[in-house]
Amino acid sequence: MKIIIKETQNPTILKFEFPDFITQNESFEFKNIDEAKNSPLAQQLFYLPFVKTVYISGNFIAIERFSIVDWNDVKDAVAEQIEEYVKSGGKILVEDASKPTKTALTVYGETTPNPATLKFVVSRRLTKTALEFKNIDETAPSPLAKELFQFSFVKEVFIDENYISITKYEVATWEEITIEIRTFIKEYIENGGIVIDETLVVADTKQEKQQIKNFDNLDTTSQQIINILEEYVKPAVAADGGNILFDSYDANEKRVKVILQGSCNGCPSSTFTLKNGIENMLKDMLNDPAIIVEAINP
């Protein structure tokens, strides 16, 4: 058996591929050795001081590293260790752990202010990274989103926390398709289908802004705006199946640019919400009546 090493679009994550599938219709994510009780191999890997997260899915094991090492210095040794472990009879997953098991969960639909978008709430966490998919070509990180685009009436998909917002074309009404979508999502997840493959998440511009990695380098007003959006606005738009991201603040024009996702994007009431809700809130909380809020969605 030969392990093939493959890079991912995340430089901290490396894939170690097997010639055959090591798990069927199920994926695992382990953050530490205690979580890895169902995977003796993952537990072994956590003895390496640079291992941050271990993913097991399909025919590969993906490892996320801490920054204390570079993959070029250790990847061959890790691949050799995995090969030797398996050759010596070590188990990747405990008996029956890799078999798909149904986990009972509930899925229900919620209306949103956008009549074209419905929010499907799931009784478990789906992702740690909010992702928006405008078409099937963007769905590499989400097998579930890819499957949803097989429905001819699905226009856009947004996944965050414990919900999936679906925007439809006008060819169908929600009365006609809600039960079909809800049933599909429920059965897909219960049968071990992958919602988000974190190893394939690409850090695009919108995601970088969402994480606000350069927060400490921003001006004071931008930091205040971000804090207001995070504390007061995001929870409200998330309840409606959407998301709002800070893009920029122009001190000369007093212009705040934001990105709307999910049900907020294209919603007939979004302009009203921006001008009469978010804009007024920022004017009041920043004590600056000249503030202007603008959405820059394509």
Side-chain angles (χ1 to χ4, degrees):
M1 182 198 71
K2 181 66 177 176
I3 296 292
I4 299 175
I5 303 172
K6 287 192 176 180
E7 295 181 351
T8 71
Q9 291 163 320
N10 184 334
T12 66
I13 298 176
L14 211 59
K15 272 186 176 181
F16 298 85
E17 290 192 351
F18 289 71
D20 300 305
F21 280 87
I22 55 178
T23 179
Q24 296 288 337
N25 302 319
E26 196 169 10
S27 60
F28 300 85
E29 178 181 346
F30 306 114
K31 292 292 187 182
N32 54 60
I33 196 168
D34 291 332
E35 290 184 1
K37 59 184 179 181
N38 288 334
S39 176
L41 174 54
Q43 288 185 320
Q44 282 290 117
L45 292 170
F46 276 113
Y47 285 112
L48 300 173
F50 55 83
V51 171
K52 181 180 180 181
T53 310
V54 177
Y55 306 92
I56 301 178
S57 181
N59 69 329
F60 69 86
I61 293 175
I63 300 175
E64 181 181 10
R65 63 169 173 80
F66 287 108
S67 58
I68 57 174
V69 299
D70 187 277
W71 271 125
N72 288 329
D73 297 328
V74 297
K75 63 182 181 181
D76 292 329
V78 173
E80 183 178 346
Q81 179 175 328
I82 295 174
E83 288 176 359
E84 291 300 319
Y85 177 88
V86 176
K87 285 179 182 178
S88 64
K91 292 184 177 181
I92 299 173
L93 294 162
V94 295
E95 189 175 357
D96 295 330
S98 63
K99 294 180 181 179
T101 56
K102 284 198 173 185
T103 303
L105 77 162
T106 58
V107 179
Y108 62 91
E110 285 186 355
T111 57
T112 75
N114 187 344
T117 303
L118 203 64
K119 175 184 177 183
F120 292 87
V121 182
V122 183
S123 60
R124 54 162 277 194
R125 186 177 177 86
L126 300 176
T127 179
K128 58 184 179 182
T129 306
L131 293 176
E132 184 176 43
F133 307 101
K134 298 286 190 180
N135 55 63
I136 196 169
D137 294 332
E138 299 179 352
T139 60
S142 177
L144 172 57
K146 184 176 182 179
E147 291 296 323
L148 287 170
F149 274 109
Q150 302 300 322
F151 293 98
S152 60
F153 46 76
V154 171
K155 182 180 181 181
E156 296 177 14
V157 178
F158 176 71
I159 304 176
D160 191 13
E161 294 286 339
N162 67 326
Y163 67 88
I164 302 158
S165 289
I166 296 178
T167 303
K168 69 173 182 65
Y169 288 106
E170 294 182 357
V171 295
T173 66
W174 285 121
E175 289 78 10
E176 296 170 329
I177 62 177
T178 298
I179 294 177
E180 182 180 7
I181 296 178
R182 186 189 71 81
T183 301
F184 174 80
I185 292 173
K186 183 176 187 296
E187 292 181 351
Y188 179 92
I189 298 175
E190 283 183 338
N191 286 308
I194 298 173
V195 178
I196 299 290
D197 182 347
E198 299 288 348
T199 69
L200 297 179
V201 174
V202 181
D204 65 18
T205 304
K206 288 189 292 186
Q207 291 166 21
E208 289 293 330
K209 289 180 182 299
Q210 182 181 10
Q211 295 170 11
I212 314 295
K213 291 183 177 179
N214 63 333
F215 180 88
D216 292 337
N217 298 323
L218 295 175
D219 61 274
T220 301
T221 303
S222 292
Q223 291 180 343
Q224 290 176 321
I225 293 169
I226 290 169
N227 287 333
I228 293 170
L229 293 178
E230 290 288 327
E231 183 173 355
Y232 297 100
V233 181
K234 271 197 174 186
V237 297
D240 287 333
N243 192 28
I244 184 169
L245 311 179
F246 171 81
D247 181 86
S248 61
Y249 169 67
D250 187 316
N252 294 322
E253 296 183 357
K254 299 296 181 73
R255 187 180 303 274
V256 180
K257 292 184 178 181
V258 297
I259 298 171
L260 301 178
Q261 293 181 317
S263 64
C264 297
N265 185 19
C267 177
S269 63
S270 61
T271 301
F272 178 86
T273 301
L274 284 172
K275 294 299 178 183
N276 295 278
I278 300 170
E279 188 174 287
N280 287 342
M281 179 185 294
L282 291 176
K283 286 178 178 179
D284 181 60
M285 299 185 77
L286 297 175
N287 194 26
D288 188 344
I291 290 286
I292 300 171
V293 177
E294 174 188 345
I296 59 171
N297 294 65

mmCIF file of all heavy atoms in Angstrom, residues 103 125 142 147-148 157 171 186 191:
data_model
loop_
_atom_site.group_PDB
_atom_site.id
_atom_site.type_symbol
_atom_site.label_atom_id
_atom_site.label_comp_id
_atom_site.label_asym_id
_atom_site.label_seq_id
_atom_site.Cartn_x
_atom_site.Cartn_y
_atom_site.Cartn_z
ATOM 1 N N THR A 103 -28.477 9.215 12.074
ATOM 2 C CA THR A 103 -28.595 10.018 13.283
ATOM 3 C C THR A 103 -29.877 10.817 13.172
ATOM 4 O O THR A 103 -30.017 11.658 12.279
ATOM 5 C CB THR A 103 -27.385 10.974 13.415
ATOM 6 O OG1 THR A 103 -26.185 10.199 13.409
ATOM 7 C CG2 THR A 103 -27.475 11.783 14.691
ATOM 8 N N ARG A 125 -25.233 21.261 14.251
ATOM 9 C CA ARG A 125 -24.340 22.219 13.605
ATOM 10 C C ARG A 125 -23.866 21.648 12.277
ATOM 11 O O ARG A 125 -23.497 20.480 12.188
ATOM 12 C CB ARG A 125 -23.144 22.514 14.511
ATOM 13 C CG ARG A 125 -22.234 23.621 13.982
ATOM 14 C CD ARG A 125 -21.119 23.897 14.977
ATOM 15 N NE ARG A 125 -20.194 24.897 14.493
ATOM 16 C CZ ARG A 125 -20.348 26.204 14.634
ATOM 17 N NH1 ARG A 125 -21.407 26.649 15.270
ATOM 18 N NH2 ARG A 125 -19.463 27.060 14.163
ATOM 19 N N SER A 142 -18.829 21.703 -0.905
ATOM 20 C CA SER A 142 -20.094 21.250 -0.326
ATOM 21 C C SER A 142 -20.817 20.255 -1.228
ATOM 22 O O SER A 142 -21.556 20.649 -2.142
ATOM 23 C CB SER A 142 -21.016 22.441 -0.039
ATOM 24 O OG SER A 142 -22.267 21.982 0.454
ATOM 25 N N GLU A 147 -25.603 18.660 -4.666
ATOM 26 C CA GLU A 147 -26.800 17.847 -4.857
ATOM 27 C C GLU A 147 -28.052 18.721 -4.945
ATOM 28 O O GLU A 147 -28.962 18.443 -5.727
ATOM 29 C CB GLU A 147 -26.951 16.846 -3.706
ATOM 30 C CG GLU A 147 -25.905 15.747 -3.700
ATOM 31 C CD GLU A 147 -25.998 14.862 -4.938
ATOM 32 O OE1 GLU A 147 -27.125 14.592 -5.393
ATOM 33 O OE2 GLU A 147 -24.952 14.462 -5.464
ATOM 34 N N LEU A 148 -28.094 19.789 -4.155
ATOM 35 C CA LEU A 148 -29.266 20.661 -4.181
ATOM 36 C C LEU A 148 -29.418 21.352 -5.535
ATOM 37 O O LEU A 148 -30.535 21.602 -5.989
ATOM 38 C CB LEU A 148 -29.165 21.704 -3.064
ATOM 39 C CG LEU A 148 -29.396 21.169 -1.647
ATOM 40 C CD1 LEU A 148 -29.031 22.214 -0.602
ATOM 41 C CD2 LEU A 148 -30.849 20.728 -1.457
ATOM 42 N N VAL A 157 -27.590 28.729 -2.963
ATOM 43 C CA VAL A 157 -27.571 28.019 -1.679
ATOM 44 C C VAL A 157 -26.616 28.745 -0.735
ATOM 45 O O VAL A 157 -25.504 29.105 -1.118
ATOM 46 C CB VAL A 157 -27.110 26.550 -1.849
ATOM 47 C CG1 VAL A 157 -27.041 25.848 -0.485
ATOM 48 C CG2 VAL A 157 -28.037 25.798 -2.793
ATOM 49 N N VAL A 171 -39.961 29.334 -11.329
ATOM 50 C CA VAL A 171 -40.662 28.232 -12.009
ATOM 51 C C VAL A 171 -41.475 27.373 -11.045
ATOM 52 O O VAL A 171 -42.326 26.602 -11.470
ATOM 53 C CB VAL A 171 -39.660 27.330 -12.773
ATOM 54 C CG1 VAL A 171 -38.997 28.100 -13.884
ATOM 55 C CG2 VAL A 171 -38.617 26.751 -11.810
ATOM 56 N N LYS A 186 -32.957 16.197 5.054
ATOM 57 C CA LYS A 186 -33.017 15.343 6.241
ATOM 58 C C LYS A 186 -32.394 13.975 5.960
ATOM 59 O O LYS A 186 -31.535 13.504 6.713
ATOM 60 C CB LYS A 186 -34.461 15.184 6.700
ATOM 61 C CG LYS A 186 -34.654 14.379 7.986
ATOM 62 C CD LYS A 186 -36.121 14.369 8.397
ATOM 63 C CE LYS A 186 -36.329 13.730 9.768
ATOM 64 N NZ LYS A 186 -35.959 12.311 9.801
ATOM 65 N N ASN A 191 -28.078 10.015 6.499
ATOM 66 C CA ASN A 191 -27.339 8.910 5.889
ATOM 67 C C ASN A 191 -25.838 9.176 5.786
ATOM 68 O O ASN A 191 -25.122 8.449 5.106
ATOM 69 C CB ASN A 191 -27.910 8.599 4.506
ATOM 70 C CG ASN A 191 -29.247 7.889 4.590
ATOM 71 O OD1 ASN A 191 -29.386 6.884 5.282
ATOM 72 N ND2 ASN A 191 -30.244 8.413 3.915
#
